[in-house]
Amino acid sequence: MRHGVYARYLLVIEAGELVWIQTRIVRVSCASCGSTHALLPADLVAYCQYSLDVLVFLYSQLLHAGASVPQVARDNGLSVWSVYLVRRRYELFRAHAGLLLFELGYQPDDHRRFQ
């Protein structure tokens, strides 16, 4: 059952530019557990003010283009600290994904590739 709505600021890509928008998030009450939960659209990442598109865009600049954190921050009008946090989020995801793949039986020739 619908419990309420709240506003959330989100950094998105619009017309090739990073822009802040305000979006509405619906909360629902769960009959099973008795608590409330936010229904996030597919492009929102839990506990993150950057949309999934923005995260992938920044990851691609950091990882594939080989840009430095200060350069990515300067080029996109972001603080250096926030780009470091984005990079840290990626490193944590990569570590968790590697562990999950390892537990599922995927073992690369060089086990350090998952680190």
Side-chain angles (χ1 to χ4, degrees):
M1 174 167 42
R2 186 174 168 152
H3 181 72
V5 175
Y6 67 93
R8 178 171 167 182
Y9 285 96
L10 183 67
L11 188 64
V12 298
I13 300 175
E14 286 185 358
E17 298 286 325
L18 297 180
V19 294
W20 288 98
I21 64 166
Q22 189 175 28
T23 187
R24 294 168 42 110
I25 305 296
V26 174
R27 292 192 66 80
V28 294
S29 180
C30 178
S32 175
C33 70
S35 62
T36 61
H37 304 281
L39 299 179
L40 298 179
D43 62 338
L44 265 71
V45 178
Y47 309 107
C48 184
Q49 289 186 314
Y50 297 170
S51 70
L52 183 58
D53 292 345
V54 170
L55 290 175
V56 170
F57 173 71
L58 295 175
Y59 296 154
S60 67
Q61 289 184 345
L62 290 167
L63 302 172
H64 299 293
S68 67
V69 168
Q71 181 182 358
V72 170
R74 185 175 44 255
D75 292 348
N76 295 291
L78 301 170
S79 72
V80 172
W81 177 248
S82 65
V83 178
Y84 274 116
L85 290 175
V86 166
R87 188 177 78 176
R88 180 69 180 140
R89 181 181 286 268
Y90 169 77
E91 291 167 352
L92 289 171
F93 169 76
R94 187 181 67 182
H96 287 109
L99 179 60
L100 175 64
L101 290 171
F102 190 78
E103 288 177 353
L104 291 173
Y106 297 100
Q107 297 181 6
D109 296 334
D110 179 3
H111 72 281
R112 291 172 291 193
R113 285 190 358 215
F114 283 153
Q115 295 177 357

